[in-house]
Amino acid sequence: MNKTDKSDSYNNNRRKILKAGAAAGAAVFAPYIRTAKAAPVEINILSWYGLGEPDMVAEFEEANNVKFKPKYYAGGDNMLAALAQSPPGTFDLIHTDAEYARILIERGDLVDALDPADYPFDDMLHEDFTKFPGHWKDGKLYSVICRYGHLGVSYNTDALTQAEAMSYNAFWSPKLAGKVGHFDWHLPNLGEISLLNGNTSPSPFDIDKAAWDKVKEKTLSLKPQVKGYFDYGGTFASLKNGEILACAGIGDWVTAVVAKDGGKVASVVPDEGGIQWTESYSIVSSSKKKDLVNKYIQYCLSPEGQVKSANMAAYPGFVVTQGGENALIKATPDEAKRSGQMPGLANNPITLINEGKIHYRDTPKQQTLEDWNDFWSEYKNA
Amino acid sequence: MLWRAPLLIWQILFFVVPLFFLVYLSFWVVKNYRMTPALDPVNWIKMLSRDYFWSAYGLTLTMATVAALLVSLLAFPAAYTLAFKVSARVRQLAVFVLIIPFFTSYLVRIYAWQTLLAENGVINAFFSLLNLGPFTMLNTPIGTMVGYIALTLPLVVILQTISLANIDRSLVEAAHNLGCGKLRTILTVIIPLAKNGIIIGMVFCFILSFGDFVSPYYLGGSKPPTLSILIIDTTKAGQQWPKAAVVAITMIVTLFIVAIAAVAAAYKRPGTR
């Protein structure tokens, strides 16, 4: 065997070994390579409960190979605390109430400016939604409205008629003695009492000292009627099992779910007016997945995303776009009718806004949030 | 001495340092929803001057004290039976059974109690068969107390059982031989000998009840609120964590005083003042 033969033999053997090694390596690592390639991108969302659940995100996750990792909070203050306690980059998307979106934006470095052209502002059901208070700063958009709902009188339909529930005075009815519940948050409750006292202009949350004193006095007079103060779970259970027959500070976002579960409950916006909760999305400045997150916001505002939001299992919200309303009527006409989201219905949420009966929930303007909370603690202890 | 180091490090890292931080936090101020480090006593002045704070404090103290006494009384007959009237095998089995409730979430157990205590719940359904009721139990202090008992009774029974089981039986027999009746034996021999376990059980019940949030909120309807609920309420007022820290420190100080007083009482030697 000459040198060339030896060399060829060596090369052949080496090739065979390399070939076999490559095949074995491929066999061993192929599943992992495939997995790594298909690993979904994780989107961390800070939101109210339900927004990151499968009924809301599964379709988008499947179509875009992403996986939502939600951190849920209850109340805007908890949202701010979660942000403060987390290092930058922890969250990509924030879902929040409009009054707290304003606080996020005013901090200056937490959320990004958005391009209004990315969203269907020309299809919004109400002009206010295109320039929602607190979502814009210095002409720039930072937060996009995605859903909303109305708060008023929520009641057991065996205990009150709809006509009786059409005033906040129903809470003082002898029929409800010891059977009135409160959603345990000062803003919606005191906002409703403020409306009952006629504080509609400019807002039930923008009241002077004399009006604030009257709100406190009126609220304290309700104390003998009160059964307790509840979070979402407690409100749900108490309405369902008849422990409370009416509840202040909530609306269809709770009673719709209780009713689906067999409870005899409903909500109305009374003659004195109702409070609107408004939820929106903002993109966190430190996120590395802004394009994907923006795509999700667009999905939420698409007709199909709006239908999902209106039927969300945790708590429903009204659609904000005309396309969303059309799709809702087509997809779930019964829900569209029940919630008034059809043209011409008396409880149509847009009609109520246009009639001036709806006031956007806000933080107190002439008192501090601490003042309102202090009084709420006093009231609970009274 | 080296073997003590892990315990010391653990205590420093996870108790002393957080406690100092909590105290420091109570002097911070909140401006525009942002907490700012400071050494301002304003949170202490504001919180301690509020009537609702003292109402909540008085209520929490009273409820926890009543729970400690009630649970200890309820636990004693069961513990006595397990210690003196059954075999060691049955006692072991009973202790295991008493541990079982801790396998499930406390919150889940409290939700189950809601179903039992509601006006159209299981207990009132039973009373209605006797033409009684309905009785209002849920969303009242009774509901809160039921929650405290459900939380602490198994633990207190176990602590009392261990304490009673370790009593020297010859002392009990000597009492009987000297003509001491059953009740007098329990009061003058057994209880003094099991004093440590009984007091430690009471302290555990007091501590767990004093700091409990779940029962007063979900069974008591937060009406009126206890200190733990007040902490939650305070944080809902625009990031007022420093004021919530004031409430938390007050609770810790109270628990310290109660625990030290109880341990001193438990281990006080007879005849000393």
Side-chain angles (χ1 to χ4, degrees):
Chain A
M1 198 179 277
N2 61 28
K3 196 178 177 183
T4 314
D5 290 340
K6 270 185 178 175
S7 175
D8 283 350
S9 170
Y10 168 76
N11 282 339
N12 281 340
N13 284 336
R14 195 183 63 172
R15 267 189 225 111
K16 277 178 188 169
I17 290 166
L18 286 173
K19 216 171 167 181
V28 170
F29 292 109
Y32 299 98
I33 293 165
R34 228 180 359 254
T35 306
K37 195 178 174 186
V41 178
E42 205 170 72
I43 294 179
N44 293 286
I45 174 173
L46 181 62
S47 75
W48 278 94
Y49 179 75
L51 274 293
E53 293 300 294
D55 64 309
M56 287 297 290
V57 300
E59 208 169 279
F60 184 84
E61 284 180 336
E62 183 67 29
N64 295 278
N65 194 32
V66 298
K67 181 72 189 162
F68 278 83
K69 193 177 167 194
K71 178 174 171 58
Y72 295 128
Y73 64 82
D77 278 287
N78 286 340
M79 180 271 294
L80 293 174
L83 271 180
Q85 291 157 8
S86 310
T90 303
F91 301 109
D92 302 297
L93 177 63
I94 301 178
H95 163 263
T96 185
D97 295 302
E99 61 268 40
Y100 285 89
R102 173 186 288 132
I103 295 167
L104 286 179
I105 295 162
E106 279 172 0
R107 286 203 181 172
D109 55 349
L110 285 176
V111 293
D112 267 10
L114 306 169
D115 182 356
D118 284 349
Y119 313 107
F121 279 114
D122 54 352
D123 192 38
M124 289 286 174
L125 280 165
H126 198 280
E127 197 187 340
D128 284 2
F129 299 170
T130 62
K131 288 276 179 189
F132 203 82
H135 286 181
W136 297 71
K137 189 183 177 190
D138 302 329
K140 285 184 181 171
L141 174 73
Y142 287 88
S143 200
V144 187
I145 184 172
C146 57
R147 60 208 306 264
Y148 70 104
H150 292 157
L151 311 174
V153 175
S154 297
Y155 63 100
N156 184 306
T157 51
D158 283 343
L160 287 183
T161 63
Q162 187 179 332
E164 286 172 320
M166 285 305 288
S167 169
Y168 290 114
N169 283 315
F171 293 136
W172 280 261
S173 164
K175 286 204 284 187
L176 301 181
K179 290 285 190 179
V180 174
H182 278 293
F183 184 63
D184 194 5
W185 188 23
H186 49 89
L187 271 188
N189 286 283
L190 299 178
E192 288 185 355
I193 303 288
S194 185
L195 280 175
L196 175 60
N197 280 1
N199 302 317
T200 55
S201 182
S203 149
F205 301 95
D206 191 355
I207 54 176
D208 62 18
K209 187 181 179 305
W212 171 231
D213 286 343
K214 282 183 182 167
V215 166
K216 290 195 281 187
E217 190 185 333
K218 187 70 181 172
T219 308
L220 284 168
S221 73
L222 183 58
K223 182 75 185 181
Q225 298 283 98
V226 174
K227 180 75 170 182
Y229 308 81
F230 309 100
D231 64 0
Y232 174 74
T235 309
F236 185 98
S238 302
L239 280 169
K240 178 82 195 298
N241 63 26
E243 277 292 307
I244 57 173
L245 298 177
C247 190
I250 60 165
D252 192 60
W253 71 280
V254 178
T255 54
V257 187
V258 180
K260 268 186 193 168
D261 202 37
K264 291 180 177 178
V265 290
S267 294
V268 290
V269 171
D271 295 332
E272 296 93 351
I275 309 281
Q276 178 171 313
W277 56 265
T278 313
E279 292 174 354
S280 61
Y281 280 120
S282 296
I283 298 177
V284 182
S285 298
S286 56
S287 171
K288 302 269 189 283
K289 306 146 197 166
K290 289 175 185 171
D291 289 343
L292 207 47
V293 171
N294 196 35
K295 194 176 176 186
Y296 180 67
I297 299 176
Q298 289 172 323
Y299 167 77
C300 289
L301 286 166
S302 70
E304 59 179 323
Q306 286 284 284
V307 171
K308 284 190 186 303
S309 165
N311 289 286
M312 191 171 94
Y315 63 101
F318 295 140
V319 298
V320 296
T321 64
Q322 187 60 60
E325 186 176 283
N326 296 342
L328 180 69
I329 293 168
K330 197 174 172 188
T332 51
D334 289 345
E335 174 57 19
K337 191 177 177 187
R338 188 202 64 79
S339 58
Q341 296 179 91
M342 276 182 176
L345 294 178
N347 61 335
N348 182 289
I350 298 298
T351 306
L352 291 171
I353 296 172
N354 287 334
E355 287 172 350
K357 289 182 77 174
I358 298 300
H359 303 269
Y360 302 136
R361 195 177 62 205
D362 207 343
T363 47
K365 295 295 165 203
Q366 298 189 44
Q367 298 81 36
T368 64
L369 205 55
E370 199 180 348
D371 292 335
W372 280 43
N373 190 64
D374 265 351
F375 170 68
W376 188 245
S377 292
E378 267 174 49
Y379 173 60
K380 286 170 73 173
N381 268 289
Chain B
M1 292 298 282
L2 198 62
W3 58 271
R4 289 183 185 169
L7 179 66
L8 196 67
I9 292 167
W10 178 274
Q11 286 292 89
I12 290 171
L13 278 180
F14 297 108
F15 181 68
V16 178
V17 172
L19 186 64
F20 273 103
F21 178 71
L22 193 68
V23 173
Y24 180 39
L25 181 70
S26 71
F27 292 95
W28 287 21
V29 291
V30 178
K31 285 176 185 166
N32 294 325
Y33 300 92
R34 271 190 156 160
M35 288 188 285
T36 312
L39 277 173
D40 193 329
V42 65
N43 301 306
W44 286 90
I45 294 165
K46 274 189 179 176
M47 212 63 210
L48 299 184
S49 63
R50 298 283 192 267
D51 287 343
Y52 64 76
F53 169 80
W54 293 109
S55 299
Y57 186 84
L59 175 82
T60 313
L61 202 60
T62 307
M63 293 289 284
T65 305
V66 171
L69 293 171
L70 194 60
V71 168
S72 296
L73 281 173
L74 287 172
F76 190 79
Y80 179 83
T81 306
L82 291 176
F84 291 104
K85 303 290 180 187
V86 299
S87 66
R89 193 181 173 84
V90 172
R91 191 186 309 138
Q92 284 168 2
L93 184 68
V95 168
F96 176 73
V97 169
L98 284 165
I99 292 170
I100 287 176
F102 297 104
F103 291 179
T104 54
S105 156
Y106 174 42
L107 189 61
V108 171
R109 280 184 279 147
I110 290 301
Y111 273 120
W113 274 106
Q114 282 190 344
T115 313
L116 294 171
L117 297 174
E119 282 188 25
N120 55 5
V122 177
I123 294 173
N124 272 314
F126 171 74
F127 281 125
S128 71
L129 295 174
L130 308 170
N131 285 328
L132 295 170
F135 298 104
T136 303
M137 295 173 282
L138 190 59
N139 301 316
T140 67
I142 294 170
T144 303
M145 194 56 69
V146 168
Y148 288 164
I149 293 169
L151 172 67
T152 60
L153 187 62
L155 180 68
V156 175
V157 171
I158 291 169
L159 288 169
Q160 286 190 3
T161 303
I162 293 167
S163 186
L164 291 169
N166 284 324
I167 289 175
D168 185 349
R169 302 300 168 99
S170 62
L171 295 172
V172 180
E173 284 164 16
H176 287 316
N177 291 341
L178 292 169
C180 205
K182 277 188 178 176
L183 184 63
R184 195 169 169 205
T185 305
I186 289 171
L187 293 175
T188 59
V189 179
I190 293 174
I191 289 179
L193 288 172
K195 187 181 72 174
N196 293 3
I198 292 170
I199 292 178
I200 296 299
M202 284 178 81
V203 171
F204 265 100
C205 178
F206 183 90
I207 290 171
L208 291 173
S209 305
F210 192 80
D212 184 30
F213 166 77
V214 175
S215 287
Y217 202 82
Y218 291 100
L219 296 180
S222 183
K223 193 188 127 184
T226 56
L227 286 176
S228 50
I229 294 173
L230 190 59
I231 289 178
I232 303 290
D233 286 351
T234 307
T235 60
K236 288 180 190 170
Q239 295 291 287
Q240 291 293 343
W241 292 90
K243 279 172 74 181
V246 171
V247 182
I249 292 163
T250 315
M251 292 176 78
I252 291 170
V253 169
T254 305
L255 290 176
F256 259 125
I257 292 168
V258 170
I260 289 168
V263 170
Y267 292 97
K268 194 174 98 174
R269 276 189 282 173
T272 58
R273 283 170 186 258

